[in-house]
Amino acid sequence: MTAGDHERRSARHAVVTGTSSGIGRAIAERLLAGGWHVTGIDRAPPDWTHAGFVGLQADLAEPHALIAQLADLGTVTALVHAAGYMRVGRLGELMPDSGEGMWQVHVGAAEALATALAPDMGEGGRIVLIGSRTANGSAGRSQYAATKAALTGLARSWAIELAPRRITVNVIAPAATDTPFLRDPSRAGTAPVLPPMGRFVDPAEVAALTAFLLSPEASAITGQTITICAGASL
């Protein structure tokens, strides 16, 4: 291992999923600007570079295949699971493959990553799961809502288990966020409603909250779901 490799591995190191675009990329860029080393996990090879960023190509729909690829990551300080996608459909039209696929990416990947990384996290480790305000329920999005609601159960359970080690686990639940995901053609029948503030959530705002939850100042916040909604919940 070179001196440079040692320095990078000993620094704050976050594993972030979904760094190719949207919220995941905004989080990676925010952490890199703050001096973190980031390992990004995406299905496609990364199309951007940074001295502190390493891209790992993996299909989160097969989360347990990730485990072997995580062995050489070194010490991991934080896990941020931001990857996700939405398939819509009303009751009577639901496709089992859509529900199972979203469950694997949103929930199965979170389980696989946390199971692999949390046991070796030191005191002050952090886990942040990117959920959705839709977890409260939304017509035409029941399968998606169910997978995002499950993240709260995971986070609260893990928070209890990891509290003695002072590792925190939280969920950030954005409302409609201005990303390519917002304009996914598959959402055409369930277009998001503009929040009362007259704008959608900015990915940078989700990234800023993530950075705070990963900071020492947030060390007493755990087991919480924090909503960013531009007034949509009011």
Side-chain angles (χ1 to χ4, degrees), residues 47-63:
D47 61 357
W48 60 285
T49 61
H50 186 283
F53 178 80
V54 174
L56 184 64
Q57 189 174 356
D59 187 354
L60 292 172
E62 299 177 358

Side-chain angles (χ1 to χ4, degrees), residues 65-200:
L66 283 172
I67 303 303
Q69 300 187 59
L70 303 177
D72 296 328
L73 291 184
T75 301
V76 173
T77 313
L79 166 63
V80 182
H81 183 36
Y85 70 98
M86 179 188 290
R87 293 293 179 265
V88 299
R90 290 182 174 269
L91 195 60
E93 304 169 348
L94 300 179
M95 302 296 292
D97 288 350
S98 295
E100 291 168 8
M102 286 187 288
W103 186 271
Q104 284 292 81
V105 170
H106 300 159
V107 183
E111 291 177 351
L113 288 164
T115 295
L117 300 176
D120 293 325
M121 279 187 183
E123 182 175 311
R126 300 283 189 266
I127 298 175
V128 173
L129 308 176
I130 303 301
S132 171
R133 195 182 79 87
T134 302
N136 295 324
S138 177
R141 305 177 193 176
S142 60
Q143 291 171 313
Y144 177 81
T147 66
K148 291 298 188 177
L151 297 181
T152 295
L154 288 182
R156 290 186 63 82
S157 301
W158 295 345
I160 296 167
E161 295 175 19
L162 296 172
R165 295 168 52 198
R166 298 185 182 178
I167 296 173
T168 67
V169 189
N170 292 288
V171 176
I172 297 175
T177 304
D178 193 7
T179 69
F181 179 45
L182 191 69
R183 293 173 285 280
D184 187 332
S186 71
R187 300 183 64 175
T190 57
V193 176
L194 197 67
M197 285 188 177
R199 67 173 180 85
F200 295 115

